[in-house]
Amino acid sequence: MPANSREKNKPAWSRSVFINCPFDEAYKPLMRAACFAIIACGYTPRCALDYNDSGAVRLVEIARMISECGFSIHDISRVELDRASRLPRFNMPLELGMDLGLRLQGSARQKGRRTLILDAVAHQYDKTLSDISGLDPQFHRNDARTVIRHVRDWLNAYRDPAIDGGPPGARAIYDDYLAYTTIAPDIIQALRLDSPLTNFLTSTI
């Protein structure tokens, strides 16, 4: 898609939510739940899978995408060693650091960013990323229902009542999510959608 087309179709900063999380099969149900909750609340999810340009530096493009979103979700729960390399992955903490840098030292607009940090287990971050103590991470225990509740409540807390009606409750969103996982494959096939994010979110439904 030409650059000017991307700019024209880009969602508003105040309605864009950047998601920084693992992209493996095990995490997919949690990301799918987070994306569903974001959309149910009237926002647009964005992530590194949206971007595919071999001629650009990936880190620069990720930083640009973060800056284009007024909201961001960072899941730092994946601290296990990779089975093949026997090393941990640091992409998620790196992107969280980029986000916090914008919030702390960026423009006035970027200082108004809203950030949700997720982890799997309470206080695991005390051992893996202790510098974020005081930022109030939320814990999901690898449960999609809990992810939906955290995302919904977080976005609801920052909505403008003068502009936005309240989103559905977390239970209603979860019920709709369960229905979605049943009908999504037929919808995707009928619409003939084909994108990295679509493929990632629907390939194992």
Side-chain angles (χ1 to χ4, degrees):
M1 181 183 294
N4 57 348
S5 297
R6 289 198 301 268
E7 291 297 314
K8 182 179 179 180
N9 297 322
K10 187 167 56 181
W13 183 85
S14 61
R15 287 288 174 179
S16 299
V17 182
F18 179 79
I19 303 177
N20 166 30
C21 68
F23 292 144
D24 56 51
E25 290 294 324
Y27 191 86
K28 189 178 295 186
L30 302 185
M31 183 176 181
R32 184 185 300 131
C35 287
F36 191 91
I38 290 167
I39 294 169
C41 292
Y43 294 78
T44 300
R46 302 186 67 190
C47 73
L49 293 176
D50 293 343
Y51 155 75
N52 185 16
D53 182 356
S54 299
V57 178
R58 181 176 179 81
L59 187 66
V60 172
E61 290 301 309
I62 290 174
R64 177 187 59 78
M65 186 175 295
I66 293 173
S67 72
E68 292 174 348
C69 300
F71 296 82
S72 55
I73 297 171
H74 301 269
D75 192 313
I76 58 170
S77 62
R78 187 56 54 81
V79 296
E80 300 86 355
L81 299 182
D82 180 83
R83 289 183 179 180
S85 69
R86 304 304 301 164
L87 295 170
R89 292 182 61 83
F90 296 116
N91 286 347
M92 278 67 74
L94 173 63
E95 291 177 27
L96 171 59
M98 293 161 64
D99 188 325
L100 294 177
L102 280 172
R103 184 167 180 171
L104 293 171
Q105 299 294 329
S107 65
R109 184 190 203 192
Q110 296 296 338
K111 289 178 180 178
R113 305 178 54 76
R114 302 299 184 184
T115 305
L116 173 64
I117 302 173
L118 297 175
D119 203 345
V121 181
H123 303 297
Q124 177 174 261
Y125 69 90
D126 288 335
K127 301 179 180 65
T128 61
L129 199 62
S130 59
D131 283 352
I132 66 169
S133 296
L135 296 182
D136 196 25
Q138 301 297 307
F139 313 105
H140 54 63
R141 297 191 177 277
N142 297 308
D143 177 64
R145 184 196 295 263
T146 305
V147 168
I148 286 174
R149 175 169 55 82
H150 285 320
V151 172
R152 181 266 175 201
D153 291 350
W154 170 64
L155 290 173
N156 183 56
Y158 293 113
R159 70 183 176 88
D160 183 348
I163 300 174
D164 296 330
R171 180 173 180 177
I173 294 175
Y174 182 70
D175 288 344
D176 289 345
Y177 168 73
L178 293 179
Y180 159 79
T181 59
T182 300
I183 65 175
D186 292 338
I187 294 174
I188 299 300
Q189 184 175 7
L191 295 176
R192 303 178 68 186
L193 297 178
D194 186 17
S195 72
L197 181 56
T198 298
N199 291 337
F200 177 80
L201 291 176
T202 62
S203 61
T204 61
I205 290 179

